[in-house]
Amino acid sequence: MSVPKGDRGKSGVQFVDTADTIEQRAMEVCKKWPKSYMFIITQRTVALASEVYEHAQKANAIMPQTEDERQERALELERALGANYAFARKIERAFSLFPICGQKDGRSQNEEAEKSGRLLEEFMTLCKDEENALKGNLHYVRKMELHKPPKQKGKGGAAKTE
């Protein structure tokens, strides 16, 4: 049975799509900063966005069948969550210290400040969505039951036949 579009929630792997969006937008925005900011903030900001995506992908690729696999998936989710927190703080600091764009195309300084505010708000929303999706998936992974092989009967592993 299908769910009406308006009643649908986010899927369990939405964290991978959101991480991809964070990385793409970070690359788009950071390339607009002057080259003089590259070593100060741009490289690390993009690297953190990429870490979020890479760890989300790794976590999503692990379909736990054993306790070790479950722990590995949880670890990758935690790494993605940590990178997401660090990225949010870094991008917030970047916007507070450096203008996203100079005055271009006849826009005033106030218009540029509004544009920067909207971009920062977009990033904060994406980061919050990613945080919620990662935490939800992490909770699920920690609570999930693993498939256990059926117990064998009798000696030597062979089942008795009558």
Side-chain angles (χ1 to χ4, degrees):
M1 179 179 205
S2 65
V3 177
K5 191 172 185 174
D7 295 340
R8 294 179 193 160
K10 290 191 175 187
S11 76
V13 294
Q14 183 65 36
F15 67 94
V16 177
D17 292 336
T18 305
D20 182 46
T21 302
I22 288 171
E23 184 184 40
Q24 286 178 4
R25 293 294 290 142
M27 288 177 180
E28 290 168 3
V29 169
C30 286
K31 74 179 182 181
K32 293 179 182 179
W33 274 314
K35 297 277 187 245
S36 59
Y37 297 156
M38 182 179 296
F39 296 108
I40 297 170
I41 197 114
T42 304
Q43 283 183 334
R44 185 65 182 141
T45 303
V46 172
L48 285 168
S50 294
E51 279 185 48
V52 175
Y53 182 59
E54 289 164 10
H55 289 298
Q57 279 188 313
K58 287 177 186 176
N60 192 49
I62 300 169
M63 299 301 162
Q65 299 296 317
T66 66
E67 186 58 34
D68 287 342
E69 289 173 341
R70 179 202 333 237
Q71 288 175 357
E72 182 64 26
R73 182 175 171 123
L75 182 63
E76 290 299 334
L77 289 167
E78 288 169 351
R79 288 176 178 158
L81 190 58
N84 186 60
Y85 288 143
F87 170 77
R89 298 299 77 72
K90 185 69 73 179
I91 198 77
E92 191 173 42
R93 175 161 293 155
F95 274 97
S96 71
L97 295 175
F98 308 115
I100 186 64
C101 303
Q103 291 174 315
K104 295 181 182 176
D105 304 323
R107 290 188 290 241
S108 70
Q109 192 171 4
N110 286 343
E111 289 172 320
E112 287 300 328
E114 287 176 15
K115 180 180 177 183
S116 288
R118 285 191 306 272
L119 283 171
L120 179 58
E121 186 177 325
E122 175 189 352
F123 276 117
M124 292 300 105
T125 300
L126 285 168
C127 288
K128 189 64 177 172
D129 289 349
E130 182 70 354
E131 175 187 352
N132 291 337
L134 287 167
K135 283 182 174 179
N137 201 275
L138 190 56
H139 177 75
Y140 171 76
V141 168
R142 287 179 176 155
K143 300 291 182 196
M144 73 188 299
E145 287 190 33
L146 300 173
H147 299 289
K148 296 178 182 175
K151 292 182 180 179
Q152 296 179 347
K153 298 177 184 177
K155 291 184 179 181
K160 286 187 177 181
T161 57
E162 292 185 34

